[in-house]
Amino acid sequence: MRGACAVAGVTVLVVVGAGMAAAGDESGRPDLARYYTQKIKWGTCKGDTEAMAEATGGAKDIRCGHVSVPLDYADPASGDVDVAMIRMKSSASGKPRGSLLLNFGGPGGPGVSALAGAQKDFGFLSKDYDVVSFDPRGVGLSEPVSCGDADKSTDPSSGGTGDAAAVLAEMRNVAAECAKKSGPVLPHMGTVNVSRDLDVMRQALGDKKLNYLGFSYGTRLGAVYAAQFPKNVGRMVLDGVDTLTEPVAEQSLVTAEGRQTALDNFLTWCTGNAGCVFGTDSRSARKGMVRLIKDMDQMPLRSLDGAEFTGQDVVGVLGQALYSRQAWPALSQALGALLADGDPRALIRMSGGLVPTGIPATGPATGPAAGEEVPADNMAAALMGVNCADDPDRPDAAHIEKEVGKLQKQFDDASPVFGKSMLMPVLLCFGRPAGTKYIREDVRDVKTPKLLLVGTRGDPATPYRWTEETARRLGSQAVVLDNKGDGHTGYLGSTCVQDKVNGFLLYGETPKSGESCAADEG
C-alpha cells in the first residue's frame, strides 16, 4: 500500500479501477473524493502495540494512525470502516523515497502488531522508505469480525456421510452467528475491497505509486491491486506466492499436505537430537503426535479460571511454528513441557510470538490498543470471511451432503494432524453468498512495471508451482526468483533472497527471471 501523492486542494483524483471513480465522474459511479483527500494523523501507539514497539526496537520511530474507507464502495454513504495503520519512520537523512507498505499474510493476519514486533527485520528497508503496515478491514484493530464460539460448536470431521445434513444445518447456524457478531463489515470483506482500501492508503500516505512487499496471502492482495490499479504500481514484491485460481477446497488441501510434510520434517529433526520428547524414532513420533492431539481434544487441559487448551489449540501453534525452521528448537522445548508436565504456557507464548507468515516476531504477544478488544477468534473468522468472499464456487446442499464424507477422507489422508482444522474453512463457506469471479477471471496480463515474485521450493503453505502459475497469469511483467530453500516465504529465511529483494525495492535492480538462490544461503 504504497505510493500515492496526495495534492492539497485537489478535489478530482485519478485512481480509477474496477468500478471506482473520482469526483465529477459522469459515469454515475460513486464519488470517493472525501476518502482520497484525507490525511493520516500519526500519533503514539497505544496499549500492547506500544509495548511491543518498545520491546523490539524502541517506539520513538513507530507511530500509529488510521484511514477511513467506504464500507461499501458501491454505496459510500452506507458507512465507513476505520483501517488501523502503523509507520516505522525512515532513517534517511534526507527526504525518504516514500512509503513501503507491508502485508504479512493470512488472510486475517494483523499488520500493526506484526510490524511493531519486527522492526529490526525491516530496518534496512527503512533506509529509504517509511515502512508501513495495516490491519485489513475486519482484522485486528480495524473493526474485527468474530464468530464467537460458533465455529467450535460442531466437528465436521467427526462423522461420516450420514451426519452430513446435520453438519450443514450447523454450518448455517454458524454463518448466522458470524453475521450477528461481526456487524456490517463481514459482507464487505474480501481482497477486492482491501485492494481498494490500499489505494486510499496510498493517496493518504502522499505517494504517487504503491511500493509494496506482500507475504503469502499478501501476494494475492498485491496481484489484485496490480490488476485494479496498474498505473499506480511502483516497486512490488510478492513472496510466498498464493494461487489466484484454485478454489478454497483445493487451497486448504494443499495447505494440509504442506503442513503435514513440515511436521514430519520437524519430527525427523527432533528425534535426531538428544532430549526430544518424542524419543528417537520418527515413525513413532508421528503416531505420538496424532495421539496427543486426539487425547487433548477429548480431555483438554484446564486452567484455574476454567479456560481450556485443546488438541486443536496445539494444532494452531504447530501451524504457525512449522513455517520457520528457526522456531523448531523452541517448539521442541514447548512440546516437551506440555508432554512432561502438562504445561502449555510455552506453546501459548509461541502462538503469540509468531506472525501469520511464519516470520518470527521478537517480542511478546500483542493485543489491541488500550480500551479495545480483538476477539480471540478474529484471525479464523477473518480468514473465513476473505476466502469465502474471494471464491465464486458455492455447491448446493445436495452436492455438499454427498461430498462431506469424501472430503473428510481426503483431508484426513492429507494430514491426520491438520486435516480437521483445514476442512473447517471449506465447510464454513457453505450458506454464504458466492464470492467474486474477478480474481479468477480478470487478474491476469497486468500492465505494470516489473513485479518480483519469490517462490520457495520447500514452502509448506504456498507450493512453488503456485509461483509459476501466478507468474504466467500476470504475464511478461512478472519476474520469478527461485529460492531453493525451505520454510514459508523467503525474505527472512535466506540472505540471498533478502539481498535480491532489497536491491529491487531500494535500487530498482531486477533479477533475471529464473534466477535462483541456493538453499544454503540463509
Side-chain angles (χ1 to χ4, degrees):
M1 313 83 29
R2 200 84 6 198
C5 211
V7 182
V10 175
T11 56
V12 180
L13 299 168
V14 218
V15 219
V16 178
M20 294 174 51
D25 192 330
E26 296 179 358
S27 67
R29 289 178 290 189
D31 179 1
L32 303 175
R34 71 182 179 91
Y35 300 101
Y36 276 92
T37 53
Q38 67 184 306
K39 297 293 181 67
I40 302 170
K41 295 180 180 178
W42 298 106
T44 302
C45 298
K46 299 177 181 179
D48 289 344
T49 301
E50 182 183 29
M52 170 70 84
E54 290 176 343
T56 59
K60 63 181 184 303
D61 295 324
I62 287 284
R63 293 291 182 269
C64 292
H66 74 272
V67 295
S68 293
V69 297
L71 176 68
D72 182 355
Y73 277 90
D75 181 17
S78 63
D80 295 346
V81 177
D82 282 341
V83 174
M85 300 181 68
I86 186 169
R87 183 188 69 182
M88 181 168 68
K89 194 166 179 59
S90 172
S91 60
S93 56
K95 186 177 180 180
R97 175 184 298 279
S99 307
L100 174 69
L101 216 141
L102 309 182
N103 181 278
F104 289 92
V112 171
S113 60
L115 182 56
Q119 297 170 68
K120 293 180 181 178
D121 294 324
F122 300 97
F124 191 80
L125 290 170
S126 72
K127 289 174 58 177
D128 273 19
Y129 293 102
D130 288 335
V131 179
V132 180
S133 193
F134 67 105
D135 290 352
R137 57 171 64 205
V139 173
L141 303 178
S142 299
E143 304 188 23
V145 296
S146 173
C147 298
D149 292 327
D151 61 343
K152 298 179 182 178
S153 62
T154 185
D155 181 354
S157 60
S158 63
T161 53
D163 297 319
V167 168
L168 295 183
E170 187 59 38
M171 290 298 106
R172 290 190 183 94
N173 293 336
V174 171
E177 193 67 11
C178 293
K180 177 182 176 181
K181 291 185 178 298
S182 295
V185 73
L186 183 60
H188 300 287
M189 294 185 70
T191 304
V192 171
N193 277 336
V194 177
S195 171
R196 294 170 175 174
D197 296 345
L198 279 187
D199 204 57
V200 173
M201 285 183 256
R202 173 196 64 78
Q203 185 74 25
L205 286 165
D207 294 326
K208 292 180 179 178
K209 300 288 183 180
L210 177 78
N211 300 308
Y212 177 83
L213 172 56
F215 298 99
S216 193
Y217 161 76
T219 68
R220 188 197 312 172
L221 176 58
V224 170
Y225 185 91
Q228 287 186 300
F229 303 99
K231 294 182 180 179
N232 297 345
V233 173
R235 295 174 183 175
M236 179 175 285
V237 178
L238 310 180
D239 183 3
V241 183
D242 198 359
T243 180
L244 300 174
T245 59
E246 294 187 3
V248 168
E250 283 299 316
Q251 293 179 50
S252 293
L253 194 62
V254 166
T255 300
E257 291 170 344
R259 288 184 177 180
Q260 185 64 48
T261 298
L263 177 60
D264 292 345
N265 291 341
F266 162 74
L267 292 173
T268 299
W269 169 87
C270 181
T271 54
N273 288 275
C276 178
V277 72
F278 290 102
T280 59
D281 182 76
S282 60
R283 181 176 296 182
S284 296
R286 287 193 287 272
K287 293 179 180 178
M289 181 64 77
V290 174
R291 187 164 54 249
L292 169 67
I293 303 303
K294 185 176 295 185
D295 289 348
M296 287 190 61
D297 276 339
Q298 293 175 350
M299 297 184 65
L301 296 173
R302 285 182 172 83
S303 65
L304 293 176
D305 62 3
E308 291 187 346
F309 190 77
T310 69
Q312 293 310 302
D313 291 322
V314 176
V315 171
V317 178
L318 291 173
Q320 296 180 60
L322 290 171
Y323 280 170
S324 170
R325 289 185 71 98
Q326 297 171 355
W328 287 10
L331 177 61
S332 178
Q333 293 177 4
L335 288 169
L338 178 68
L339 283 166
D341 305 318
D343 184 356
R345 288 177 296 178
L347 278 175
I348 294 171
R349 285 194 296 270
M350 285 199 74
S351 178
L354 294 170
V355 297
T357 57
I359 299 172
T362 52
T366 60
E372 299 182 71
E373 290 187 2
V374 176
D377 74 321
N378 175 239
M379 286 184 63
L383 182 144
M384 173 275 297
V386 173
N387 279 343
C388 296
D390 287 359
D391 187 0
D393 298 323
R394 223 40 115 246
D396 59 27
H399 179 80
I400 290 290
E401 281 193 44
K402 182 179 178 181
E403 294 295 317
V404 162
K406 180 181 177 182
L407 282 170
Q408 173 194 331
K409 186 176 186 307
Q410 282 182 329
F411 278 78
D412 285 346
D413 289 346
S415 172
V417 171
F418 297 102
K420 175 180 175 180
S421 63
M422 297 311 301
L423 174 57
M424 179 65 87
V426 177
L427 296 182
L428 282 175
C429 288
F430 176 76
R432 289 173 169 77
T436 180
K437 294 181 180 180
Y438 178 80
I439 299 173
R440 190 174 295 178
E441 295 181 357
D442 296 329
V443 181
R444 59 173 71 245
D445 301 320
V446 297
K447 308 301 180 185
T448 66
K450 292 293 183 182
L451 309 173
L452 179 58
L453 278 59
V454 181
T456 298
R457 293 284 178 169
D459 194 314
T462 50
Y464 186 78
R465 65 178 174 83
W466 284 357
T467 302
E468 296 177 315
E469 291 170 3
T470 298
R472 287 194 294 269
R473 281 182 60 87
L474 295 180
S476 60
Q477 297 307 99
V479 176
V480 172
L481 177 62
D482 180 357
N483 177 28
K484 299 185 183 299
D486 294 307
H488 183 37
T489 73
Y491 183 74
L492 294 186
S494 165
T495 302
C496 171
V497 170
Q498 192 168 95
D499 288 345
K500 300 285 186 185
V501 169
N502 288 346
F504 177 79
L505 291 172
L506 295 175
Y507 313 117
E509 298 171 349
T510 306
K512 295 179 181 177
S513 192
E515 194 170 334
S516 65
C517 283
D520 58 354
E521 295 190 51

